[in-house]
Amino acid sequence: MSTEPPAPVTKRGLARNTAGYGDPEFALYLRRSFAKSMGYSQAMLDRPVVGIVDTGSDYNNCHRTVPELIAAVKRGILAAGGLPLAFPTVSLCEPSLFPTSMHYRNLAALDTEAMLFAQPMDAAVLVGGCDKTVPAQLMAAASADVPAIQLVTGPMLATPFQGERLSACTDCRRYWAAYRAGTVSDEKIGRIEERLATTAGTCGVMGTASTMACIAEALGMMPPNTAAIPAVLAERLRAAEEAGARAVALIANPIRPSQIITEHAVENALRVLLAIGGSTNALIHLTAIAGRRGIRIDLGRLNELSDTTPVLVDLKPTGEGYMEDFHAAGGVPALLWELRDLLHGDAIDVTGATLADRLAEPEFVDRRYIRPRNDPVSPVGGLVALFGSLAPRGAIVKRSAATPALFEMEARALVFDGLEDLAARIDDPDLDVTAQDILVLKNAGPLSPAGMPEAGYLPIPKKLARAGVKDMVRISDCRMSGTAFGTIVLHVAPEAAAGGPLALAETGDRIRLSVRDRTLDLLVADDELARRRSAWRKPPLPARGWDRIVAEQVLQADEGCDLAVMR
Ligand code: FES
């Protein structure tokens, strides 16, 4: 039994945020006593505390390496003189959640923020990886404003298969589309299922998880050159150890998320999003993260940035490479060097360095995957916002993953009322559809019971797919996977469930799309729209629980789909 006297109350380490007994010294005495029940010595408990957000879960394949990463983070913290204390939070795996992981991103952010705030810690390491986890953690850190470092699990490795390489999930979609078209057999699609994701880690293409990792590094919330390290490399564990050590360094010289996530840093992150041909989802997430610091991402400004930012990274879903190629090619630091004249050099990162300080000409760049400015993948950025009578507050199209021949068109709409209607009719042999139609899905936005799933990649109707149709214009108020491709207009705002014009669209209406003019219009007379509006009814609220909170609180896509009370 220890004979040590109660330690004096300080506002560091375990002495932070003592429980409200009305007697801070007793609260600390009790806290230390309980901590000692876990075997910690007084010397350990006197150290500054680094909290480690643990999102390991048997439901989350993308986070399979989290226990090993946390062990490495702890090594780094202990060696640097800190006390590591890991704690669990909500863990979100994209394919494991109903109705969609997006429905729970704000729950993870709420949980993480509350624990960062309520528990005693001087700094934190945020360990995440899968699509919604990293944005949730960055939203939480931005609000709690505890010095914090983002560590990602890293991408999986691609797997050789019959002369090509496969990785989740662009190849999943490519092969599934071929299977639907009847060009891949039952037997082969079964074999491919076992080859798409063969190592630990997040999807191996420039999908949402990879995009968010690059954005976290571009924002400055992650140690340099750690976004793209594959999950299974020893280098990933060394990055975890470094994250732990750097978190301790942040205690002596505090740099808070509020100092890192500035307007200039957000604009740098937007440039990177555009230059990597990144996921459309990342725009929603970055908007939410920035919104936590009172920074608004204006979609008009996005278009200006998009027109002046080339796509330089050549990875799937739009190119050929995988994340392991991007890392070996030089990763985010090489990309930042290439973009240097477009970036704000005064933004600082978790090391305290300004971007200008840390920009350095890389020794080696593999130009197959990170192209020079004079030979870009595309001279303009991957994403553009559209506005018009169908999307007064905007919609997004990933032009780098779309078919340019479909960019300027006016066509008949074939409208699906929701996901059930889509599933029931899309493959009906009698469906009245041609390749020249525009497929429209409504009631799948953030306020809808569907929860804004990644359903914007509407399947090509089977009878058209079997006739060789590869792409059609598809419009919805939901999202699409960052690993998907096609001429797909997403995030229509206001959504149908909020009574946006999309709610009034009907099969047979004409829609005009112009990517050149950034417009998306529903060509229906005002009196007819007024008639339809008078018949429209707001969907009923869910009875209780998280669904009810979301239905009452969630903001539209142009505001990042955050909860109104958390901004
Ligand atoms: Fe987790 Fe793709 S499913 S990153």
Side-chain angles (χ1 to χ4, degrees):
M1 189 172 150
S2 172
T3 55
E4 292 154 336
V9 176
T10 65
K11 294 300 178 192
R12 200 190 73 168
L14 287 192
R16 298 174 74 95
N17 298 352
T18 47
Y21 297 122
D23 181 347
E25 292 197 17
F26 170 70
L28 178 57
Y29 171 75
L30 197 62
R31 179 177 281 172
R32 295 172 83 103
S33 170
F34 277 59
K36 283 178 179 172
S37 79
M38 293 187 278
Y40 291 108
S41 65
Q42 184 67 52
M44 273 294 163
L45 297 181
D46 284 340
R47 289 180 169 209
V49 174
V50 179
I52 307 171
V53 178
D54 178 355
T55 50
S57 161
D58 285 352
Y59 283 97
N60 199 335
N61 56 290
C62 304
H63 292 197
R64 177 151 67 87
T65 53
V66 165
E68 208 181 0
L69 286 173
I70 287 182
V73 173
K74 285 183 172 178
R75 279 202 304 275
I77 294 169
L78 287 167
L83 171 62
L85 294 177
F87 59 97
T89 62
V90 169
S91 181
L92 305 174
C93 180
E94 182 59 36
S96 297
L97 291 154
F98 174 84
T100 167
S101 66
M102 183 63 185
H103 187 59
Y104 301 101
R105 183 204 63 182
N106 293 335
L107 182 64
L110 190 68
D111 172 15
T112 308
E113 178 185 337
M115 292 302 102
L116 290 177
F117 172 77
Q119 298 177 130
M121 66 188 76
D122 302 291
V125 177
L126 315 164
V127 185
C130 194
D131 293 13
K132 310 302 173 294
T133 320
V134 170
Q137 292 177 334
L138 291 173
M139 290 161 71
S143 288
D145 211 21
V146 173
I149 291 180
Q150 182 75 59
L151 175 72
V152 291
T153 54
M156 64 178 68
L157 294 180
T159 303
F161 178 75
Q162 296 186 351
E164 62 173 332
R165 291 185 294 166
L166 300 181
S167 183
C169 212
T170 303
D171 299 320
C172 323
R173 294 173 196 285
R174 179 166 60 89
Y175 269 107
W176 191 255
Y179 176 62
R180 281 177 56 80
T183 57
V184 166
S185 67
D186 287 346
E187 192 266 329
K188 186 169 181 182
I189 200 77
R191 264 188 296 138
I192 289 169
E193 183 178 306
E194 295 184 350
R195 309 298 289 169
L196 286 165
T198 57
T199 78
T202 49
C203 290
V205 299
M206 192 53 86
T208 305
S210 300
T211 304
M212 287 310 304
C214 294
I215 280 181
E217 185 171 332
L219 268 178
M221 290 294 293
M222 180 187 283
N225 203 17
T226 59
I229 304 168
V232 295
L233 296 195
E235 191 182 351
R236 172 58 61 198
L237 294 174
R238 285 192 286 275
E241 205 178 283
E242 179 193 349
R246 285 196 186 278
V248 177
L250 276 182
I251 298 169
N253 297 298
I255 302 170
R256 296 181 180 279
S258 55
Q259 296 166 270
I260 296 172
I261 304 171
T262 60
E263 271 188 48
H264 280 183
V266 169
E267 198 155 295
N268 289 343
L270 277 172
R271 290 274 191 197
V272 165
L273 167 62
L274 293 162
I276 61 180
S279 162
T280 46
N281 290 318
L283 184 60
I284 293 181
H285 299 320
L286 184 57
T287 301
I289 295 161
R292 293 297 184 99
R293 297 299 333 157
I295 300 165
R296 177 167 173 76
I297 292 181
D298 177 76
L299 293 179
R301 178 66 179 147
L302 171 77
N303 283 343
E304 290 170 13
L305 294 175
S306 192
D307 286 343
T308 54
T309 308
V311 178
L312 298 179
V313 174
D314 198 4
L315 300 189
K316 290 188 176 186
T318 52
E320 283 306 310
Y322 292 91
M323 283 301 284
E324 66 209 65
D325 304 317
F326 178 54
H327 181 58
V332 173
L335 177 66
L336 293 173
W337 174 258
E338 211 59 51
L339 295 171
R340 59 194 180 281
D341 60 303
L342 299 175
L343 301 174
H344 298 287
D346 60 343
I348 60 168
D349 70 6
V350 287
T351 70
T354 64
L355 179 65
D357 288 340
R358 74 176 201 262
L359 281 175
E361 188 169 5
E363 273 179 37
F364 166 78
V365 182
D366 187 335
R367 293 298 184 190
R368 288 175 297 173
Y369 304 111
I370 303 176
R371 304 272 277 272
R373 288 284 287 281
N374 61 9
D375 182 26
V377 177
S378 158
V380 291
L383 307 180
V384 286
L386 309 172
F387 300 91
S389 59
L390 189 55
R393 286 171 54 182
I396 298 296
V397 64
K398 186 174 180 178
R399 60 181 166 184
S400 60
T403 306
L406 298 176
F407 283 2
E408 311 298 321
M409 70 182 305
E410 182 192 314
R412 184 187 80 128
L414 172 57
V415 179
F416 297 91
D417 275 335
L419 292 174
E420 285 180 11
D421 184 33
L422 176 70
R425 291 198 291 136
I426 191 74
D427 289 337
D428 183 343
D430 296 327
L431 185 69
D432 178 14
V433 64
T434 73
Q436 288 70 45
D437 290 335
I438 293 177
L439 304 180
V440 177
L441 172 66
K442 56 187 185 181
N443 296 314
L447 277 171
S448 75
M452 207 182 192
E454 293 186 338
Y457 178 73
L458 276 69
I460 303 293
K462 204 174 253 178
K463 67 180 182 183
L464 296 182
R466 297 211 156 163
V469 175
K470 297 265 187 308
D471 195 9
M472 295 173 71
V473 175
R474 288 159 272 181
I475 298 172
S476 72
D477 49 10
C478 56
R479 301 173 299 116
M480 77 170 178
S481 166
T483 62
F485 46 87
T487 310
I488 297 174
V489 178
L490 303 152
H491 311 174
V492 169
E495 65 175 295
L502 185 64
L504 310 180
E506 295 182 358
T507 293
D509 291 348
R510 306 289 295 178
I511 290 177
R512 188 188 299 128
L513 164 72
S514 173
V515 175
R516 179 192 59 224
D517 297 338
R518 313 281 191 264
T519 56
L520 183 66
D521 290 301
L522 179 63
L523 307 178
V524 175
D526 288 348
D527 56 344
E528 172 61 13
L529 287 177
R531 187 190 66 75
R532 294 180 193 177
R533 180 160 298 288
S534 64
W536 180 79
R537 296 288 172 271
K538 197 173 158 57
L541 284 175
R544 59 174 294 282
W546 179 246
D547 292 353
R548 174 75 174 227
I549 292 169
V550 170
E552 289 181 341
Q553 285 287 329
V554 84
L555 299 168
Q556 293 293 285
D558 60 332
E559 294 180 302
C561 302
D562 201 353
L563 301 181
V565 288
M566 301 308 291
R567 299 262 286 187

